[in-house]
Amino acid sequence: MATLGDIGVAAGFNLLAAFIFLLAFAILRLQPFNDRVYFPKWYLKGLRSSPSRSGTLVGRVVNLDFRSYLRFLNWMPDALKMPEPELIDHAGLDSAVYLRIYLIGLKIFVPIAFLAWTILVPVNWTNDALQILDLTKNATSSDIDKLSISNIETGSKRLWTHIVMAYVFTFWTCYVLLREYEVVASMRLQFLATEKRRPDQFTVLVRNIPPDVDESVSENVEHFFLVNHPDTYLTHQVVYDANKLAKMVKKKKKMQNWLVYYTNKFSRNESLKPTTKTGFLGLWGKKVDAIEFYTSEIDKLTKEMAEERERMAADPKSIMPAAFVSFKSRWGAAVCAQTQQTRNPTVWLTDWAPEPRDVYWQNMAIPYVSLKIRRLIVGVAFFFLTFFFMIPISAVQAFASIEGIEKRAPFLKPIVEMPFIKSVIQGLLPGLALKLFLIFLPTILMIMAKFEGFVSLSSLERTAASKYYLFNFVNVFLGSILTGLAFDQLNTFLNESPSKIPEIVGVAIPLKATFFITYIMVDGWAGIAGEILMLKPLIMYHLKNFFLVKTEKDREEAMDPGSLGFNTGEPRIQLYFILGLVYATVTPILLPFIIVFFGFAYLVFRHQIINVYNQEYESGAAFWPDVHSRIIIALIISQLSLMGLLATKGSAEATPVIIVLPILTIWFHRFCKGRYESAFVKYPLQEAMMKDTLERAREPHLNLKGYLQTAYVHPVFKASEEDEEEDDLVSEKWETESTLVPTKRQSRRNTPLPSKISSNSSPTLPGGFEDQP
C-alpha cells in the first residue's frame, strides 16, 4: 500500500513532467516557424499574419528577441483576460459552456475541500482504530488511511459527523447545479435570440418518407408539405447516397497530395526525375515516372467521378427516403420540427436539421428502418467490450504493483524493494499503466457511434461520450476499487444479493484512494500539460509543410487546430466528479489533487479554445442536460457507497437517515429537468416569431430561398476552386433537382397551392375538401 512518501515521489515526477511540457510549450510557441501550430485559430479568422514573412533569414525561424523568453509564462494571464461574452463571439457557446464544467468543479470542490479538511480530517486523524488494529491483528496501515473514515472504529458516534457532512455536501452540490443550469439555459436562449442567420434555423430533417409508386421522393416531399404546411414551406433538398462518390473525392485528394509532393521534389532537383512503384503504397510493382503516373491517375479518377455523378442523377435508388426541408420562417420550421406530421408516428419523422457543417453525410445514406437494429448490435457489442476490458485492465493493474511484480518476476525482488524504486512503482506505475491502456478506447467508441447511424457530428460525440462515461464508471471506477481479477469481481456480484453491492463497494473505496491519487496526477496533471504541447499536430504540420505545401492555401490546410473533443474530454471530467464526490466524506485527501486538475485544466483549455481549437459545429450548448445528469449520478453513487460503508461500520440506525439523500437528489434532478431541460430540446415559438419579425423589419427584401437553396447540398456536389468549371455544371443540376415539380399523382388536386412549374393544379376549397361533382 502506498504511503505519503510514495505519493510525494509520484507528485514530484508528475510535476516535473508537467513543468517540462509547459517549458517546452512556452519556448516552441515563441518560434516564428511554429506560429501556425500554436495560433491557428487566428489564422483561420484572418486576424494574424505569419511572423516568418519578414526579418532576417534566421529571424524567420528562431525568435531572437530574448526579452520575450523572460515573459514565457504570459500565456497564463492572457488566457484569463478574454471576458465570457467576447469568448462566445470568438469561439461559440459550446466552447464557453464547456469551460463552465471546469468552473463547476472548482465551485463544488473548493468549499467541500475546506469543510472536509477542517472537520472530517481532524475527526478521522484523532481516532486510533487503525493503531489498535495494527497491534491486535498484526495489520499494517499508512498515514493516508489514518486520514480516512477507515480510522473510525465500528459503532462510533463520530460517524454521524460524516453523515451530517454528506448532507452539507449534497445540498451545496445541488445548489451549484441549480444555479448553473439556470445560467446556462439563459445563455442558450440569449445565444439563439442574438445568433446570426443560419440555414439550420429554417430547416427540418425529414426521415422515413413513405414510398409512392406515382411520384419520386422529391415530388412526394413537395406534395406533402404544400398540403400540410402551405403558408410556410419554401424549398427542399433530397438526400443522395453519395458515399461512393465521396470515397472517390477523398482518393483524388490523396493523389493530388502525392502529385504535389513529387512536383516539389522535382523542382528542388530537376536533374533527377522522381519515380514510384504502382503497387500498394508504392512499395512494389512496376517503377514509373511519379509525376506522370499521378497525373494520369487523377485524370482517370476525374472521369470516373463524372460517370458516378451521371449515374446518381439517373438512378432513383440513389435518392434516400429523407430530405432537408426549408421554411419561410423560423416559426414555420419550429412548428414542423416539434410536431407529429401524420397519424402514423413511424413515417414523415421530423427533427431539427443539424447545421450544414455538423452533418455527418456518410450516415445520411443509412436507411432509417435499420437504425434500431444497428443500435441493438452496438449495445450488445458495448456490453461485451465493457466487461471483457476488465480482464486486461485488472491484469495490468495487478502486474503494476509490488506484489504483482514479485509474484511474476521474483528475481526483481531486490530491485523493487529499494525505497525509491518502490515509491515509483506504488506511486506512479498503476495510474500510468491504466492511462496507457485506455489510449485507443475513444477511437473504438467513435466507430461504434458512427455504426449506430447518427447523422450529425454533435450527436456522434454525445453518444460516444455517454459510452465513454459508462465505461469509465464500470472499468476505471468500479473495476479499480474491487480487488482481484475480473472473474473474481463477477463471482462476487453474482453470489451476493443486490442489497450487498453498496457494502462491497463501500468497503473497497478507502483502500483504493492511493491508486486514484496516482491516476489523477498522471492523467489530470501531466496529461493536461501534454495537451497544450500539441506534439502530434506540431510534427504533422512540419512534415506536411516540408513535403506538401506549395501555396498559402496548402499551408492553411496543413494546419490541424483540432477541436474540443467532447467525446473524450467530458467523460474525463465526469470521472473526476465521481471521485471527488465519493471520496469527499471517505478519504478527503483526494480533494486537493482534484482541485488542481480542475483549475489547471480550465486554464489550459481556455488558452486552447482562444488560440487553437476550431470547433467543427455549434450546438448551442445542447449537451448541458447530459452534463447535469452525470453529476447527479455521481452524487447518488457517493451517497450509496457511503451507505454501504456505514453498514459495515455497525451504523444500521444511520441507514434511514442516509437513504433520504438519494431520494432528495432524484427529486431535485426531476425538478431541474422539468424546469430547464425544455430550453435545450425545444425552440419556443415566441422566440422564433420575435426573431422572424425583427429580421423582416431589418431586411425586407431578403432572398431567403437563394440563401437556403444549396445549404444542404452534399459537399461532393459543391463547386471547388480546383474543379470550378466542372462542378458549376454539377451544382446547377442538383439545384434543379430540388425545385418544385409537377405531380404525377391524382391526389395532387387536393394541394391548396398550384405547383410553381405546373399550372394545371387546381387548389382545394377552404377546409381542404375538393369540390365534388
mmCIF file of all heavy atoms in Angstrom, residues 54 68 103 139 168 207 344 367 557 747:
data_model
loop_
_atom_site.group_PDB
_atom_site.id
_atom_site.type_symbol
_atom_site.label_atom_id
_atom_site.label_comp_id
_atom_site.label_asym_id
_atom_site.label_seq_id
_atom_site.Cartn_x
_atom_site.Cartn_y
_atom_site.Cartn_z
ATOM 1 N N SER A 54 8.798 38.205 -42.696
ATOM 2 C CA SER A 54 9.675 39.369 -42.679
ATOM 3 C C SER A 54 10.842 39.131 -41.745
ATOM 4 O O SER A 54 10.853 38.179 -40.970
ATOM 5 C CB SER A 54 8.888 40.611 -42.245
ATOM 6 O OG SER A 54 8.353 40.425 -40.956
ATOM 7 N N SER A 68 11.426 38.301 -24.892
ATOM 8 C CA SER A 68 10.178 37.531 -24.929
ATOM 9 C C SER A 68 10.301 36.236 -24.129
ATOM 10 O O SER A 68 9.303 35.727 -23.616
ATOM 11 C CB SER A 68 9.802 37.217 -26.379
ATOM 12 O OG SER A 68 10.802 36.421 -26.999
ATOM 13 N N LEU A 103 -15.308 25.113 -14.172
ATOM 14 C CA LEU A 103 -15.629 26.076 -13.109
ATOM 15 C C LEU A 103 -16.588 25.467 -12.093
ATOM 16 O O LEU A 103 -16.486 25.748 -10.895
ATOM 17 C CB LEU A 103 -16.229 27.343 -13.721
ATOM 18 C CG LEU A 103 -15.262 28.241 -14.489
ATOM 19 C CD1 LEU A 103 -16.000 29.466 -15.034
ATOM 20 C CD2 LEU A 103 -14.108 28.681 -13.606
ATOM 21 N N ALA A 139 -1.795 -6.071 11.519
ATOM 22 C CA ALA A 139 -2.074 -5.463 10.222
ATOM 23 C C ALA A 139 -1.182 -4.243 10.037
ATOM 24 O O ALA A 139 -0.511 -3.781 10.977
ATOM 25 C CB ALA A 139 -3.538 -5.056 10.120
ATOM 26 N N VAL A 168 -24.480 18.187 3.953
ATOM 27 C CA VAL A 168 -23.964 19.506 3.583
ATOM 28 C C VAL A 168 -23.414 19.478 2.161
ATOM 29 O O VAL A 168 -23.711 20.365 1.338
ATOM 30 C CB VAL A 168 -22.877 19.965 4.580
ATOM 31 C CG1 VAL A 168 -22.219 21.264 4.102
ATOM 32 C CG2 VAL A 168 -23.482 20.157 5.979
ATOM 33 N N ARG A 207 -37.273 12.297 -42.230
ATOM 34 C CA ARG A 207 -36.768 10.941 -42.487
ATOM 35 C C ARG A 207 -37.927 9.961 -42.559
ATOM 36 O O ARG A 207 -39.040 10.232 -42.119
ATOM 37 C CB ARG A 207 -35.777 10.523 -41.404
ATOM 38 C CG ARG A 207 -34.651 11.514 -41.201
ATOM 39 C CD ARG A 207 -33.586 10.986 -40.282
ATOM 40 N NE ARG A 207 -32.775 9.972 -40.936
ATOM 41 C CZ ARG A 207 -31.784 9.327 -40.331
ATOM 42 N NH1 ARG A 207 -31.500 9.599 -39.066
ATOM 43 N NH2 ARG A 207 -31.080 8.427 -40.969
ATOM 44 N N ASN A 344 -49.756 8.280 -38.481
ATOM 45 C CA ASN A 344 -48.801 7.175 -38.349
ATOM 46 C C ASN A 344 -47.488 7.741 -37.812
ATOM 47 O O ASN A 344 -46.777 8.462 -38.515
ATOM 48 C CB ASN A 344 -48.570 6.517 -39.713
ATOM 49 C CG ASN A 344 -47.642 5.306 -39.621
ATOM 50 O OD1 ASN A 344 -47.063 5.030 -38.572
ATOM 51 N ND2 ASN A 344 -47.494 4.589 -40.718
ATOM 52 N N PRO A 367 -30.515 3.572 -44.262
ATOM 53 C CA PRO A 367 -31.981 3.543 -44.163
ATOM 54 C C PRO A 367 -32.434 3.673 -42.710
ATOM 55 O O PRO A 367 -31.871 3.047 -41.811
ATOM 56 C CB PRO A 367 -32.353 2.172 -44.740
ATOM 57 C CG PRO A 367 -31.175 1.777 -45.579
ATOM 58 C CD PRO A 367 -29.971 2.371 -44.916
ATOM 59 N N GLU A 557 -4.226 24.422 -45.087
ATOM 60 C CA GLU A 557 -4.763 23.075 -44.966
ATOM 61 C C GLU A 557 -3.857 22.181 -44.128
ATOM 62 O O GLU A 557 -4.312 21.192 -43.548
ATOM 63 C CB GLU A 557 -4.959 22.467 -46.356
ATOM 64 C CG GLU A 557 -6.064 23.135 -47.161
ATOM 65 C CD GLU A 557 -6.205 22.529 -48.541
ATOM 66 O OE1 GLU A 557 -5.357 21.681 -48.892
ATOM 67 O OE2 GLU A 557 -7.149 22.901 -49.261
ATOM 68 N N SER A 747 -54.032 12.483 -56.588
ATOM 69 C CA SER A 747 -54.336 13.189 -55.344
ATOM 70 C C SER A 747 -53.721 14.568 -55.295
ATOM 71 O O SER A 747 -53.962 15.323 -54.370
ATOM 72 C CB SER A 747 -53.851 12.374 -54.146
ATOM 73 O OG SER A 747 -52.453 12.180 -54.243
#
